Amino acid sequence: MRVQIFIDGGNFHHLALKPLGIHAVEFDFDAFATFLADGRNVSEMGKRYYIGTVREKEGDERSRHVMARQTQLFNVLKKTVWQIKTSKLRERTERIIIDERIADYQKIRNKGVTEIVYQAFREKGIDVKIATDLVAAALDDKYDAAILVSSDTDLVPMIDWIRFRFKKKIEYIGFSIPNKSGNGNDIRPTRALIDRTDVQRVLIESDIRKFQLSMPSSLFLKNL
């Protein structure tokens, strides 16, 4: 059976790597792809990684380090023949209103805080690029099964179309990672993806840890 692997880099970061304190440059994506393929043939140009690109902000040391890590990751992925699909990260202002939806909101308001304003980055169009590539590869008969490492429910309509129109199988890779702070915000697989795919694999912390590289991120940066 021929497979192709589609990894939503931002989604993977937030659902698996970040909760475990792992930077993407400290993760062996090629070994991970071999694990996901599980003995099956990965077709030509069949390893795909999608991510929003980071831009350095003048005078912002953190953005410089983040961009350096991302550049290092891209170099490693290119050497192992990954197809890298990017989109721009859009910066926007987010507001959290302090009201009854927030625990102990009265205590917060009594301190004079009525809202929290912060800058956030959002990926633009990654789901569209994944969906487009899934369909294009299905049309060209490049895979028998697509392995999807994303919990983005926006992909569900396209998944339905590929499964029933092209008779291709979709494998969903989800994650189950407890939040160690004990606040109940555990990572769980997405029900919509479980219900609408042919095969479901839920990975736990030990599954992710075995692909963590031993070199710390600080050494990666020094070697740039």
Side-chain angles (χ1 to χ4, degrees):
M1 176 180 282
R2 302 163 303 154
V3 300
Q4 288 200 346
I5 298 166
F6 299 77
I7 297 181
D8 181 337
N11 203 268
F12 183 57
H13 168 76
H14 288 292
L15 296 182
L17 300 184
K18 185 177 180 180
L20 300 178
I22 303 172
H23 290 297
V25 291
E26 301 168 347
F27 189 80
D28 190 338
F29 281 93
D30 219 46
F32 185 54
T34 299
F35 167 74
L36 296 177
D38 194 23
R40 295 167 294 181
N41 177 52
V42 179
S43 63
E44 184 180 3
M45 299 178 65
K47 298 181 296 185
R48 300 172 180 269
Y49 183 83
Y50 302 80
I51 193 67
T53 52
V54 178
R55 290 179 295 177
E56 181 179 352
K57 295 177 67 175
E58 186 175 352
D60 187 336
E61 187 70 10
R62 181 178 179 276
S63 71
R64 187 181 73 83
H65 283 301
V66 172
M67 191 176 76
R69 284 199 297 265
Q70 190 170 79
T71 300
Q72 175 73 10
L73 173 64
F74 288 174
N75 289 337
V76 171
L77 291 177
K78 287 175 183 177
K79 287 179 181 178
T80 50
V81 202
W82 281 80
Q83 307 304 307
I84 303 171
K85 302 299 184 75
T86 63
S87 72
K88 291 182 179 179
L89 285 174
R90 306 290 184 181
E91 185 176 14
R92 68 182 188 185
T93 301
E94 302 276 2
R95 284 181 166 82
I96 299 175
I97 305 300
I98 306 301
D99 57 22
E100 63 274 4
R101 295 170 296 177
I102 307 296
D104 297 325
Y105 77 98
Q106 288 289 10
K107 292 181 181 179
I108 300 173
R109 291 182 69 93
N110 288 341
K111 295 182 182 295
V113 179
T114 58
E115 68 175 5
I116 298 172
V117 181
Y118 62 98
Q119 297 301 116
F121 290 93
R122 294 285 181 263
E123 289 180 344
K124 195 74 173 177
I126 287 294
D127 56 339
V128 174
K129 292 192 175 189
I130 294 174
T132 301
D133 285 351
L134 279 166
V135 171
L139 277 168
D140 292 339
D141 192 29
K142 296 294 187 182
Y143 64 80
D144 302 304
I147 302 173
L148 180 62
V149 186
S150 176
S151 290
D152 189 342
T153 56
D154 288 343
L155 295 170
V156 167
M158 195 58 66
I159 288 171
D160 288 343
W161 203 66
I162 291 168
R163 291 177 66 210
F164 297 109
R165 177 72 180 271
F166 296 105
K167 308 303 180 185
K168 301 295 185 182
K169 294 189 180 300
I170 304 291
E171 299 183 15
Y172 166 56
I173 307 298
F175 304 95
S176 179
I177 300 175
N179 188 310
K180 294 182 179 179
S181 68
N183 62 10
N185 294 325
D186 299 336
I187 303 297
R188 292 283 181 255
T190 301
R191 173 54 61 183
L193 274 298
I194 290 175
D195 291 342
R196 308 294 272 277
T197 50
D198 300 283
V199 177
Q200 305 80 34
R201 297 166 66 183
V202 179
L203 307 185
I204 60 175
E205 179 174 349
S206 59
D207 294 317
I208 303 301
R209 289 286 185 198
K210 62 187 177 183
F211 301 108
Q212 183 177 5
L213 299 170
S214 58
M215 182 185 290
S217 58
S218 58
L219 292 182
F220 276 92
L221 294 176
K222 288 177 182 178
N223 289 334
L224 289 176

